[in-house]
Amino acid sequence: MGIDILGQLPRLFSSYNLLLLGEAALTTLLLSAVGCVVGLVFGTLLSLARLARSWLVLPLKIFAIVYVEIFRRVPFLVTLLLFFFGAQVLGFDLSPLAIGIISTSVISTAFVAEIIRAGLVAVRPSQLEAASVMNFSAWQTLWLVRWPQAWPLILPPTFAYLVLFIKDTALASQIGVLELTQAGNILNTKGFSSLLVYSTVLVLYFVVSYPLARLGAHLESRLGAPRHSRSRGPLR
Amino acid sequence: MHYVLHYGQITSYLPYFIEGALLSLELSVLAFSAGLILAFALAILRNDGGPIASRLVRGYVAFFTNTPQLVQIYVIFFGLPDLGILFSPFAAVLIGMTLNAAAYLTEIVRAGLASVHQQELDAAETLGMGRLQTLRYVILPHVFQVSMPPLSNQYILMTLGTSMAAVFGVEELTGRAMNVNSTTFRSIEVFTTIAGLYVIITFIATILLAVFGRYAFRARVRVL
C-alpha cells in the first residue's frame, strides 16, 4: 500500500493543486494577520478601559473585563459556529471568509487585550508617579512614559500569539473557509490518500509557522526584559 | 432582523449538554495527565539524553507546536487507516491531543527544571537523599511551584481544544451542540448556551487549579 501512496505524489503536486495549496496558505496567513491587527487595535482600547481608574469609564471597564474573560474561555470552534449559524438565522449574507475574519478578530481582541494589559501593568509605578509629579496629563503619561516602556514587553508575546493563532485558524475549515486544512479536505475528496494529503498540509503549516516562531523567539531575546516572563501567558 | 430568542426550547437539553461537558472534561484530564507524563520524560531526555535524543526531542517539539492540532488528528484518524491502523474517534482525538499537549508541556516542564538551583541538588545530596528522594522532595515540588501558572493556563487551553473532537464525531459538548442545532435550528440559543457552559467549566477549573496549586505546591496562581 505504501507504493500506491508514493505513486500519487507527482499527481498531487500538479501545478493546479500547488496553486490551490499556495492560495490556501495565503488565506490562512490573512486570517491570522487580520485577526491580530484588529486584536491589537481593539485590544489596546479594552486594556486601557480595564486599567482606567476613573469612575466615568466604569461601565466600559466592566465591559472590558467581561469581554476578555468570556472570549478567552470559549473555544474558537464554538465562536465560529455561533457567528456562522447566527449570521444565517439573523439574515446577514456573509461569506465564510468574512465570518472567519470576524471570529478571529473577536477572539484575538480578547487574548491580545490581556497581553497588552500585562505589559502596561509591568511598567513600574514609580515611573507613573514621576510623570504625575512632573504634571504630565493622563495622555502624556500613557504616550510618553508608559507605552515606550511597555511595548518591548508586549510585542514578543503578541507575535507568539499570532504564530499560535495560525494553527487555530485550521478550525475555520469547519465552516468552509478555503484555507490550508480545507484545501487538504478538497484534495482528499478528489481521491488522494488522506495520509499523503494531510501530511503535506502539516508540512505546509510547519513551513509557514516555524520561521515566524523563530523570528518571534529572536524578537523575544532582543526586546524582552527578563521580568516580562511574568507576563507571557495569555491566561493565568 | 426580527428574531425572537427561545431559550425555553434549549433548557430541556441542559442535562444532555452537561453530560457532554463531562466527556469534554474527561478528554482534557486524560490528555493532560498523559501529556504531562510524556512531557517529563521528553524534558529529561532533552536535558540529559545525549545529543541525538536531545535533537529528536527538539524536532518533536518544533513539529507539534508549529502544526495545528486539528490536522494532526486528521492524520491520525483519516491518514493512518491508509496504512491499516484504525482508531475510534475518541482514541484518535485522545492520542492527538496527548501528543500535542506533550510538546507544549515539555517546554513548560523544561523551564521548571531549569529553575531548580544546583545548590538545592547539592543540599539534597549532602542530606543523604537518594535520586528518587531528590526527585520526590526537591525537584518535583520546585518544578510544580514554578510551573503551576503556565500548566494551569495550558490545561484551560486544552479544555477549549477538546471542542475539536466534535469534528471527528465524538459527542462531547460541541458535538452535542451541533446535534441539537440540527434538530431544533435554534443556533444562537444553542451556541451561546454551550459557550456559557465552557466559560463556567474553565472558570471552575482555573479556581480549582489555583487552590490546588496554592495548598499542594505553595504556587501563586492569579484567578482573574
Side-chain angles (χ1 to χ4, degrees):
Chain A
M1 252 188 130
I3 304 155
D4 174 27
I5 292 173
L6 289 181
Q8 293 181 349
L9 266 177
R11 270 203 305 129
L12 177 63
F13 294 116
S14 68
S15 55
Y16 176 76
N17 289 347
L18 284 180
L19 200 66
L20 177 74
L21 286 169
E23 271 181 28
L26 283 182
T27 311
T28 289
L29 270 178
L30 177 84
L31 272 178
S32 36
V34 171
C36 266
V37 170
V38 175
L40 265 179
V41 174
F42 288 102
T44 310
L45 296 177
L46 277 188
S47 59
L48 287 179
R50 195 169 172 176
L51 287 174
R53 295 238 174 80
S54 158
W55 283 95
L56 287 173
V57 291
L58 193 66
L60 272 180
K61 190 171 174 168
I62 292 169
F63 171 77
I65 292 176
V66 170
Y67 182 94
V68 168
E69 288 303 323
I70 285 183
F71 280 104
R72 282 190 319 156
R73 289 172 188 279
V74 175
F76 184 47
L77 182 59
V78 175
T79 318
L80 275 170
L81 292 174
L82 177 62
F83 286 147
F84 183 65
F85 288 115
Q88 265 179 6
V89 168
L90 296 178
F92 291 111
D93 191 18
L94 293 172
S95 71
L97 182 64
I99 304 236
I101 286 177
I102 293 172
S103 314
T104 48
S105 309
V106 164
I107 290 272
S108 69
T109 298
F111 278 91
V112 174
E114 201 55 11
I115 294 172
I116 293 176
R117 190 177 73 103
L120 289 175
V121 164
V123 175
R124 292 185 189 170
S126 55
Q127 298 280 326
L128 306 180
E129 284 156 17
S132 112
V133 166
M134 305 225 290
N135 213 11
F136 277 30
S137 70
W139 171 250
Q140 283 172 321
T141 311
L142 178 69
W143 189 243
L144 298 172
V145 180
R146 218 170 185 190
W147 189 252
Q149 296 187 63
W151 79 263
L153 309 185
I154 292 171
L155 197 60
T158 308
F159 203 81
Y161 179 70
L162 168 76
V163 178
L164 206 65
F165 213 62
I166 291 175
K167 284 151 285 183
D168 281 353
T169 57
L171 283 168
S173 63
Q174 292 308 309
I175 60 165
V177 180
L178 212 174
E179 39 70 75
L180 262 178
T181 311
Q182 182 69 1
N185 289 340
I186 290 173
L187 290 176
N188 187 23
T189 317
K190 277 183 166 178
F192 291 106
S193 147
S194 29
L195 182 64
L196 184 64
V197 166
Y198 291 122
S199 307
T200 312
V201 170
L202 274 185
V203 170
L204 285 174
Y205 269 108
F206 187 80
V207 168
V208 172
S209 160
Y210 188 67
L212 289 173
R214 290 306 293 267
L215 181 62
H218 177 70
L219 271 180
E220 188 165 345
S221 63
R222 282 289 295 278
L223 291 173
R227 37 178 300 183
H228 99 279
S229 59
R230 284 202 284 122
S231 59
R232 233 177 58 205
L235 260 183
R236 281 282 144 94
Chain B
M1 273 298 285
H2 290 287
Y3 186 78
V4 185
L5 291 170
H6 283 291
Y7 278 98
Q9 232 174 320
I10 303 304
T11 43
S12 59
Y13 288 102
L14 259 184
Y16 180 69
F17 283 149
I18 289 170
E19 235 172 88
L22 290 179
L23 189 62
S24 295
L25 276 183
E26 187 188 328
L27 202 53
S28 63
V29 169
L30 284 177
F32 187 77
S33 336
L36 192 59
I37 293 167
L38 194 57
F40 262 101
L42 288 174
I44 290 168
L45 261 182
R46 163 93 203 261
N47 280 352
D48 330 292
I52 298 171
S54 163
R55 283 232 166 150
L56 283 178
V57 173
R58 266 166 63 186
Y60 174 88
V61 171
F63 184 76
F64 275 89
T65 53
N66 281 302
T67 51
Q69 193 181 343
L70 181 68
V71 186
Q72 288 160 13
I73 306 176
Y74 266 142
V75 170
I76 294 170
F77 188 65
F78 295 120
L80 290 185
D82 283 3
L83 301 175
I85 308 167
L86 281 160
F87 289 110
S88 71
F90 186 83
V93 171
L94 186 57
I95 293 170
M97 286 192 68
T98 304
L99 293 178
N100 191 4
Y104 284 98
L105 292 172
T106 301
E107 288 300 287
I108 296 174
V109 169
R110 221 168 63 83
L113 286 175
S115 71
V116 180
H117 290 296
Q118 186 58 42
Q119 287 103 308
E120 291 180 76
L121 301 178
D122 293 345
E125 205 183 333
T126 315
L127 288 170
M129 285 185 177
R131 277 179 72 103
L132 275 179
Q133 281 175 317
T134 314
L135 188 70
R136 163 71 184 78
Y137 294 104
V138 181
I139 299 179
L140 286 186
H142 194 118
V143 169
F144 276 108
Q145 188 187 6
V146 173
S147 329
M148 205 58 202
L151 284 179
S152 144
N153 182 18
Q154 189 63 32
Y155 177 72
I156 302 298
L157 289 178
M158 277 180 68
T159 310
L160 302 185
T162 57
S163 64
M164 262 171 225
V167 176
F168 302 91
V170 179
E171 296 207 325
E172 41 67 73
L173 191 45
T174 310
R176 291 188 174 201
M178 287 170 163
N179 290 347
V180 175
N181 179 40
S182 53
T183 50
T184 63
F185 294 110
R186 288 278 154 204
S187 312
I188 297 181
E189 292 90 334
V190 169
F191 288 112
T192 46
T193 305
I194 66 153
L197 281 175
Y198 272 110
V199 172
I200 293 169
I201 294 174
T202 52
F203 244 120
I204 294 173
T206 309
I207 292 168
L208 284 182
L209 281 171
V211 171
F212 173 71
R214 185 86 189 80
Y215 286 100
F217 308 113
R218 276 181 258 153
R220 292 227 174 116
V221 181
R222 204 169 52 88
V223 173
L224 199 70

